[in-house]
Amino acid sequence: GFEENFPLEAAHAAHHAWHAQANSARFRRDLEASVAMCVAHGDIEGWAGPRPRIHGRAIRVALLAMPVWYVSEFVAGVLVWRFPALDMKILTAPLGGYNTPRSNELRDLIDPYLEAVPALARLHLVEGYCCDWEKMTLQDLRSALADLARSCLHDVDVMVCAGPLWLCLVLHEGAPQLPVVAHCLAAQHLDMPLEPLRDRELFVQRALL
């Protein structure tokens, strides 16, 4: 294994892991605060502006995070600010409980883009990342994301996924031909329902390869 073959590197990685994750959390909070300030100052507004194009037509983008706040707090706001005419939709489970944007201002900003996905309604979401694994299985998630891919991604050019990398890779299983931009500021296997920890790491490594 990695620890046996590269003991020095493994020791350094273990020593710095929590420090790196703490910095990532601080970075994410700063980004969220920046977007909120732009909304409050009226810098994010309007529906006409730059529209990225591919092969002579407007690019169509879909965003996904579970819960939705992980994409609504930064990624969606930046895309609206930079490309206010972007053809974009935010795929989400029914809003409520943990699955809500963290501020009314951001909810108002992204509301025109929200698209509830019936396949996600059967998932048990939690405040952290993804799901309550005491009430559902990884296969339940795979099935829901495969249904989402069939029903919602056939007209999309780029998928933006926010959250732990493993979640984006499971989503990509359902639409392997679709480019996925993974915005991941959390540990790559955080909250993945596989034990032991090494199995989570191997899943991510295999999926990337």
Side-chain angles (χ1 to χ4, degrees):
F2 180 77
E3 293 83 359
E4 292 77 16
N5 295 330
F6 303 97
L8 182 61
E9 290 80 358
H12 286 170
H15 179 73
H16 295 291
W18 286 111
H19 178 68
Q21 290 186 29
N23 283 340
S24 292
R26 284 192 289 269
F27 178 59
R28 176 174 57 80
R29 286 194 295 269
D30 287 344
L31 293 179
E32 293 172 0
S34 297
V35 171
M37 289 298 295
C38 287
V39 173
H41 294 157
D43 296 331
I44 300 180
E45 60 184 12
W47 303 102
R51 177 177 293 183
R53 304 182 71 81
I54 182 172
H55 304 312
R57 62 171 177 79
I59 290 177
R60 295 163 297 195
V61 178
L63 281 66
L64 174 72
M66 296 187 300
V68 70
W69 60 260
Y70 201 76
V71 74
S72 67
E73 307 310 291
F74 173 63
V75 180
V78 168
L79 287 176
V80 173
W81 167 59
R82 181 62 183 85
F83 304 108
L86 181 65
D87 186 354
M88 180 176 79
K89 58 184 177 182
I90 301 173
L91 306 175
T92 178
L95 296 183
Y98 294 130
N99 193 50
T100 56
R102 290 182 167 181
S103 72
N104 291 331
E105 290 84 359
L106 289 173
R107 168 65 187 271
D108 293 341
L109 174 73
I110 68 171
D111 191 67
Y113 302 100
L114 292 175
E115 181 177 313
V117 180
L120 301 182
R122 61 182 185 260
L123 301 179
H124 298 275
L125 302 185
V126 295
E127 186 177 14
Y129 302 99
C130 194
C131 309
D132 184 346
W133 300 117
E134 293 183 357
K135 299 179 179 178
M136 56 178 288
T137 67
L138 180 58
Q139 186 53 44
D140 294 330
L141 176 64
R142 275 197 168 100
S143 175
L145 293 181
D147 289 346
L148 177 151
R150 285 190 291 270
S151 61
C152 301
L153 300 183
H154 55 85
D155 60 347
V156 170
D157 298 302
V158 178
M159 183 77 208
V160 179
C161 173
L165 182 57
W166 73 265
L167 177 62
C168 300
L169 294 172
V170 172
L171 170 65
H172 193 242
E173 291 176 356
Q177 79 289 347
L178 185 65
V180 173
V181 178
H183 174 74
C184 305
L185 298 180
Q188 63 183 10
H189 48 66
L190 185 64
D191 290 347
M192 188 179 189
L194 284 180
E195 296 295 344
L197 176 63
R198 181 61 175 162
D199 287 351
R200 307 182 202 176
E201 298 170 344
L202 288 174
F203 169 85
V204 172
Q205 294 167 7
R206 288 168 180 155
L208 287 174
L209 295 175

